[in-house]
Amino acid sequence: MEPRPAASGPCPGDSRAAEAAAAASLLNPGRAPSVAAVLPAGGSGERMGVPTPKQFCPVLERPLISYTLQALERVFWIEDIVVAVTGENMEAMKGIIQKYKHQRISLVEAGVTRHRSIFNGLRALAEDQPNSKLSKPEVVIIHDAVRPFVEEDVLLKVVTAAKEHGAAGAVRPLVSTVISPSADGRLDHSLERARHRASEMPQAFLFDVIYEAYQQCSDYDLEFGTECLQLALKYGHVNARLVEGSPDLWKVTYKRDLYAAESIIKERISQHICIIMDTKEDETHVGHHLEEILKNELNHVEVTSGALCPAGRDLKQIILEQCYNYVCVNVMSSDFEETQRLLNMLEESDLSILYPVVVISVYFLDYKSVPFDQKVENLMQIREYAKEVRKRNILLCGLLIYYPQDEQKLQASLREGATIITTLIKERNSGLVGQLLIA
């Protein structure tokens, strides 16, 4: 078994730390149980129809399994996360852990089937194994490497239920009716959809219950079985508690699911926009007009604004709160200095390790006072900066808004500029990196 990196504490400024501690205490007012997780990740992804196993397929240039690990790492009361991967993917998995700075992760070699992979993960947590480096938990969570959107409340529900009943699993209503065909391909019978549920992940178990069940498993069950709750029932005589899960528990199975996952992630990281104003020469408040239009267009998005002060304390706090979208407004100036300072702060923060950060440098320039060609030449340096910061997963674009104009044309340009900003943030199109767009 590969040793895990030292566990890290809660991220600074992350209010989830206190919430997670409070949630853990709900498991038992006197003593919260020790909890670990096992993540089988040895599948080949045949149904995906691509040569790369689906858990390693990129979503926004980051492997899918990394998002699942992040979802589990956010839950601070999960002490250890054991990932079962094939020998041929072991080095790739180590690279993912290192690159994305995952913590509390231990690696074991996967088996040839899902159940054998889970069994290997459980062995790594058992105290009866030689050279065991992990502590046996009271409760173990079993989850899928390709279900990246699991939330803490669902994990808490299944762990709480497992502690009381011995086993628990998330379920969802059936979407389609299940039928049983006869040997000759005819309908034999159908199930009443309202009486049945689809078994999902995560599932949780008292560790001794599920570990002993796997130790008693027949080779047939290890080879062809897929349902852990059934093993607990068959070999441990434990009737699992079924917990209603959320719609976000779906499993990435087909290629189209990767696009759906990417869309969900883009939407989630587009919910907070920071507008940085360099308005020392802005007597017309045109920058604030743009801000108001953005707020109106993005009424479901949190918009934070402020100046980039020399110490940058306010912005550093915003970065710590994990904002992935920045609009740097330069009024009456083609100076790139303010945007450069923002980029430096973002690079120092390592914010862009997990998700691409969008930075849009907006310029309001008087096209009558300086020839247009000269202004564009000044602003084209954005391309060189964009090439450099792209290496750090920062997507930099420029936006030029004509000024001054009569009020009606100016409002039209501001609305067009707001639409461009919104699209750049929502789409995160790397093909537009380094481009200077005109509203």
Side-chain angles (χ1 to χ4, degrees), residues 342-366:
L342 169 62
L343 294 173
N344 289 342
M345 293 179 68
L346 289 172
E347 289 188 276
E348 292 170 3
S349 72
D350 285 338
L351 179 70
S352 57
I353 287 177
L354 296 178
Y355 301 103
V357 175
V358 172
V359 176
I360 305 167
S361 195
V362 181
Y363 298 91
F364 291 91
L365 294 180
D366 184 351

Side-chain angles (χ1 to χ4, degrees), residues 1-2 36-38 80-83 106-109 117-137 207 211:
M1 182 184 72
E2 294 293 332
V38 171
D80 295 295
I81 303 168
V82 180
V83 183
S106 300
L107 301 181
V108 298
E109 188 158 345
S117 293
I118 293 171
F119 196 8
N120 288 352
L122 294 172
R123 283 196 185 105
L125 292 165
E127 293 176 340
D128 61 356
Q129 297 298 306
N131 303 319
S132 178
K133 297 178 180 178
L134 302 176
S135 299
K136 187 183 84 169
F207 182 83
Y211 186 50

Side-chain angles (χ1 to χ4, degrees), residues 188-250:
D188 183 43
H189 66 277
S190 64
L191 300 180
E192 186 179 341
R193 189 169 61 184
R195 295 185 58 196
H196 295 81
R197 290 291 183 271
S199 178
E200 307 285 356
M201 287 289 168
Q203 295 174 353
F205 306 84
L206 290 176
F207 182 83
D208 289 339
V209 167
I210 194 63
Y211 186 50
E212 289 172 11
Y214 269 95
Q215 288 177 308
Q216 298 175 54
C217 255
S218 67
D219 286 337
Y220 182 87
D221 283 327
L222 289 174
E223 197 68 28
F224 300 105
T226 59
E227 179 55 74
C228 303
L229 298 179
Q230 178 63 27
L231 296 184
L233 177 61
K234 182 176 181 180
Y235 294 103
H237 309 292
V238 172
N239 283 291
R241 181 76 171 182
L242 303 181
V243 176
E244 197 69 27
S246 68
D248 291 335
L249 294 180
W250 58 277

Side-chain angles (χ1 to χ4, degrees), residues 70-175:
Q70 182 190 7
L72 295 177
E73 285 174 317
R74 285 174 172 162
V75 183
F76 299 111
W77 42 265
I78 297 178
E79 297 175 13
D80 295 295
I81 303 168
V82 180
V83 183
V85 294
T86 60
E88 62 186 291
N89 289 318
M90 189 67 72
E91 290 304 314
M93 192 67 233
K94 290 179 185 177
I96 291 169
I97 293 170
Q98 181 177 9
K99 179 176 181 180
Y100 298 105
K101 300 186 177 182
H102 291 300
Q103 302 289 335
R104 314 197 306 273
I105 311 297
S106 300
L107 301 181
V108 298
E109 188 158 345
V112 294
T113 65
R114 171 182 167 80
H115 270 330
R116 293 187 190 277
S117 293
I118 293 171
F119 196 8
N120 288 352
L122 294 172
R123 283 196 185 105
L125 292 165
E127 293 176 340
D128 61 356
Q129 297 298 306
N131 303 319
S132 178
K133 297 178 180 178
L134 302 176
S135 299
K136 187 183 84 169
E138 185 178 346
V139 176
V140 62
I141 297 167
I142 297 175
H143 191 53
D144 285 330
V146 290
R147 296 181 193 258
F149 302 118
V150 61
E151 297 288 349
E152 182 175 357
D153 63 332
V154 175
L155 292 164
L156 181 61
K157 286 177 182 177
V158 295
V159 168
T160 304
K163 189 174 185 299
E164 181 178 353
H165 301 281
V171 296
R172 291 285 300 155
L174 288 173
V175 175

Side-chain angles (χ1 to χ4, degrees), residues 244-351:
E244 197 69 27
S246 68
D248 291 335
L249 294 180
W250 58 277
K251 181 179 180 181
V252 174
T253 304
Y254 302 103
K255 194 172 182 179
R256 63 177 179 269
D257 296 332
L258 289 173
Y259 302 120
E262 180 176 298
S263 178
I264 291 171
I265 293 167
K266 284 180 176 178
E267 181 180 359
R268 289 186 175 186
I269 61 177
S270 299
Q271 297 304 304
H272 185 187
I273 300 173
C274 177
I275 301 177
I276 299 162
M277 292 286 186
D278 176 24
T279 57
K280 51 185 175 289
E281 299 178 30
D282 183 16
E283 298 178 354
T284 62
H285 305 292
V286 68
H288 292 292
H289 291 328
L290 175 63
E291 178 186 352
E292 289 304 314
I293 292 174
L294 274 173
K295 287 181 177 179
N296 290 333
E297 286 205 2
L298 302 169
N299 53 17
H300 63 292
V301 174
E302 179 184 357
V303 179
T304 304
S305 61
L308 187 59
C309 60
R313 287 186 297 272
D314 292 342
L315 185 57
K316 285 179 180 177
Q317 183 58 39
I318 291 170
I319 290 173
L320 283 176
E321 292 170 359
Q322 299 182 330
C323 175
Y324 293 95
N325 312 285
Y326 296 85
V327 180
C328 195
V329 179
N330 305 273
V331 180
M332 313 301 284
S333 169
S334 59
D335 190 357
F336 198 70
E337 181 179 348
E338 292 296 302
T339 301
Q340 181 61 59
R341 289 172 59 200
L342 169 62
L343 294 173
N344 289 342
M345 293 179 68
L346 289 172
E347 289 188 276
E348 292 170 3
S349 72
D350 285 338
L351 179 70

Side-chain angles (χ1 to χ4, degrees), residues 345-407:
M345 293 179 68
L346 289 172
E347 289 188 276
E348 292 170 3
S349 72
D350 285 338
L351 179 70
S352 57
I353 287 177
L354 296 178
Y355 301 103
V357 175
V358 172
V359 176
I360 305 167
S361 195
V362 181
Y363 298 91
F364 291 91
L365 294 180
D366 184 351
Y367 62 88
K368 294 180 179 178
S369 61
V370 182
F372 179 76
D373 291 345
Q374 181 179 335
K375 277 197 279 291
V376 171
E377 184 178 349
N378 291 342
L379 294 174
M380 288 313 291
Q381 60 183 314
I382 197 172
R383 287 190 174 182
E384 296 305 315
Y385 283 116
K387 288 178 184 178
E388 287 303 311
V389 297
R390 180 68 182 89
K391 299 173 185 176
R392 296 292 302 273
N393 207 22
I394 299 174
L395 311 181
L396 172 63
C397 304
L399 175 61
L400 179 61
I401 298 179
Y402 285 134
Y403 183 81
Q405 304 181 68
D406 65 60
E407 185 62 26

Side-chain angles (χ1 to χ4, degrees), residues 2-23:
E2 294 293 332
R4 64 182 174 89
S8 64
C11 297
D14 193 342
S15 61
R16 284 192 301 265
E19 295 171 4

